[in-house]
Amino acid sequence: MQKLIEFIQDIYKTKEFLPLHEPKFIGNEKKYLNDCIDSTFVSSVGKYVDKFEKEFASYVGSKYAIATVNGTSALHISLLLADVKAEDEVITQPLTFIATCNAISYIGAKPVFVDVDLDTMGLSPKFLQEFLEKNCELVDNHCINKTTNKIIKACVPMHTFGHPCRIDEIKDICDKWHISLVEDAAESLGSYYKGKHTGTFGKLGAFSFNGNKIITSGGGGVIVTDDEKLAQRAKHLTTTAKVPHPYEYRHDEIGYNYRMPNINAALLVAQLEQVDKFLENKRDLASKYEEFFNANSEIKFVKEPQNSKSNYWLQAVILKDIASRNKFLDYTNKQGVMTRPIWKLMNELEMFKDCQCVNLENAKYLEDRVVNISSGVRI
Ligand SMILES: *Cc1c(COP(=O)(O)O)cnc(C)c1O
């Protein structure tokens, strides 16, 4: 393990404390921020929000993008637009960041947990199909969960650490079962599955620009969709559902104050200009790690799955068992090289312990063994 510490300190050219992932502001960030402040349009109206939305949509290859205050709110609105209602159920993976399940819960809906694939660490189409065939039936084009008698309205797969899951197969299954596909692409900007950008397979996709993500606006998120009506509804709902009028305050439903402020968008426009440089750097780091861990039989480096190009947002390794995982975490963090275990499974948390889940063997295996290692851009 000392060898790994030296290897990491060498590629990052530092012996100081090394965070897991640091943002880099080395482009036009200050220029655009100053311009934004000088314009006084720092809030929810301004040219940077519009510019960012256009450029982001074009980058990922979707027709529309609607910027929001964070990734959780992007997911929340996406689920509302997928017609998820209180009392409905939403299938997701147990191995995800809490935001996925929080967004489902804000509506009053309940998550149902289906296992992940070992290689992608994302929702498994095989287990999804098995679950639906065993537990559900189609009634009037609704997928009814026979165990709970509730409607399964949506499915939210997540591309773990930027590694794409088998999203085309998941889409086919969802289509067949009349379940809306909403992608949690918070971690996967710059990741492609069979040449198509993640987040653009479903009806709606949500990205995050939190401080630890691949590009950041401090806090921020975006919804993408190809459906013009959904895009208009997303904009409407995230801007307090205000009906356009030169001076009157008129709101036609309960809306949300979820619009990304222009000042955050200014930062983000500058970050998006650099995303390809960041991605190249991360993929280069991954190949360095891959070579290093090839010589180690105890620790397995997580490589991009088949048919995909991964952004390698957070680099990950798989330890032999929970004891060696804990040893690894203790040692590296004591040496000032920050490492973090993967999330606790969602179904083990107090709030979700009553949610339906079937055999989560793969998720449990990964929960006990996966650790993220230094992943920041080295420029
Ligand atoms: C970061 C993240 C989100 C969104 O987080 P915000 O902090 O609200 O931007 C959602 N899902 C996953 C899996 C994430 O990693």
Side-chain angles (χ1 to χ4, degrees):
M1 257 187 279
Q2 186 50 35
K3 264 201 192 145
L4 174 62
I5 300 290
E6 282 164 18
F7 178 76
I8 289 174
Q9 288 176 337
D10 190 44
I11 47 179
Y12 279 91
K13 299 189 171 45
T14 181
K15 287 198 188 317
E16 310 273 293
F17 170 75
L18 190 61
L20 191 63
H21 196 284
E22 250 183 341
K24 286 278 180 225
F25 304 113
I26 50 178
N28 288 320
E29 285 88 352
K30 286 179 183 163
K31 186 172 153 208
Y32 297 164
L33 280 173
N34 276 326
D35 175 58
C36 181
I37 292 166
D38 290 343
S39 78
T40 75
F41 284 94
V42 294
S43 195
S44 51
V45 176
K47 66 174 188 191
Y48 284 109
V49 184
D50 300 333
K51 187 170 159 62
F52 171 72
E53 289 179 335
K54 243 192 228 130
E55 288 173 0
F56 191 83
S58 139
Y59 188 83
V60 301
S62 78
K63 283 206 184 118
Y64 307 96
I66 302 89
T68 59
V69 286
N70 55 47
T72 310
S73 58
L75 273 172
H76 181 193
I77 297 295
S78 297
L79 289 165
L80 285 173
L81 294 180
D83 200 34
V84 175
K85 299 205 156 58
E87 305 305 317
D88 286 339
E89 293 182 335
V90 176
I91 293 179
T92 191
Q93 55 200 66
L95 200 65
T96 184
F97 177 59
I98 188 75
T100 320
C101 293
N102 280 343
I104 295 168
S105 307
Y106 294 165
I107 301 178
K110 269 204 164 187
V112 171
F113 298 109
V114 169
D115 207 1
V116 298
D117 281 324
L118 275 181
D119 59 341
T120 68
M121 301 184 289
L123 189 71
S124 162
K126 178 172 157 264
F127 294 130
L128 176 62
Q129 180 151 348
E130 261 177 41
F131 175 83
L132 292 169
E133 280 171 4
K134 240 193 223 155
N135 300 283
C136 302
E137 61 183 350
L138 269 180
V139 180
D140 297 335
N141 287 339
H142 284 307
C143 175
I144 306 291
N145 184 342
K146 289 188 280 190
T147 313
T148 57
N149 246 327
K150 291 186 173 181
I151 301 176
I152 297 181
K153 201 57 89 49
C155 173
V156 188
M158 197 276 283
H159 304 288
T160 305
F161 305 143
H163 297 302
C165 63
R166 293 182 168 78
I167 191 69
D168 58 342
E169 289 175 52
I170 292 172
K171 183 179 177 356
D172 287 347
I173 298 167
C174 286
D175 285 348
K176 205 174 120 204
W177 284 88
H178 295 263
I179 295 170
S180 294
L181 178 60
V182 173
E183 279 176 86
D184 184 343
E187 308 185 348
S188 64
L189 173 59
S191 296
Y192 297 80
Y193 187 74
K194 296 186 177 167
K196 186 170 159 67
H197 200 289
T198 53
T200 66
F201 287 79
K203 194 179 228 173
L204 299 132
F207 292 83
S208 164
F209 308 110
N210 192 32
N212 61 346
K213 295 288 171 11
I214 202 150
I215 59 170
T216 185
S217 44
V222 72
I223 301 163
V224 298
T225 182
D226 281 340
D227 184 318
E228 188 183 359
K229 279 218 179 75
L230 289 181
Q232 283 167 353
R233 292 266 309 135
K235 174 85 183 281
H236 190 61
L237 278 178
T238 52
T239 52
T240 67
K242 187 175 181 296
V243 181
H245 189 279
Y247 45 81
E248 296 272 17
Y249 288 105
R250 277 185 46 223
H251 305 264
D252 59 0
E253 62 186 308
I254 292 179
Y256 299 83
N257 181 16
Y258 277 178
R259 186 84 174 145
M260 178 185 283
N262 200 41
I263 194 154
N264 296 76
L267 190 56
L268 203 49
V269 168
Q271 287 268 287
L272 190 60
E273 289 171 351
Q274 303 164 79
V275 69
D276 286 331
K277 192 165 70 180
F278 294 168
L279 289 167
E280 199 185 315
N281 194 275
K282 281 174 163 296
R283 290 184 60 83
D284 174 66
L285 177 63
S287 64
K288 285 185 165 66
Y289 275 137
E290 189 180 338
E291 197 179 327
F292 178 86
F293 286 109
N294 271 343
N296 186 319
S297 57
E298 301 276 294
I299 304 175
K300 206 176 118 207
F301 179 66
V302 177
K303 285 178 273 187
E304 67 191 348
Q306 264 188 338
N307 298 318
S308 41
K309 184 172 180 198
S310 174
N311 67 5
Y312 282 99
W313 167 55
L314 285 188
Q315 314 275 350
V317 291
I318 303 182
L319 280 293
K320 229 174 48 200
D321 49 33
I322 194 158
S324 41
R325 182 203 81 147
N326 292 344
K327 230 174 89 188
F328 183 90
L329 285 165
D330 280 344
Y331 186 83
T332 46
N333 283 297
K334 252 186 217 135
Q335 299 287 314
V337 171
M338 184 172 162
T339 58
R340 282 286 179 269
I342 199 166
W343 315 281
K344 281 256 155 294
L345 299 190
M346 291 300 112
N347 55 293
E348 290 169 3
L349 303 179
E350 189 57 34
M351 312 80 83
F352 304 117
K353 70 177 196 311
D354 297 332
C355 294
Q356 188 178 10
C357 46
V358 283
N359 179 35
L360 302 178
E361 202 181 323
N362 288 345
K364 281 208 181 73
Y365 180 92
L366 294 167
E367 178 192 31
D368 285 347
R369 292 167 180 81
V370 174
V371 174
N372 291 124
I373 55 175
S374 314
S375 304
V377 166
R378 299 151 299 121
I379 302 176

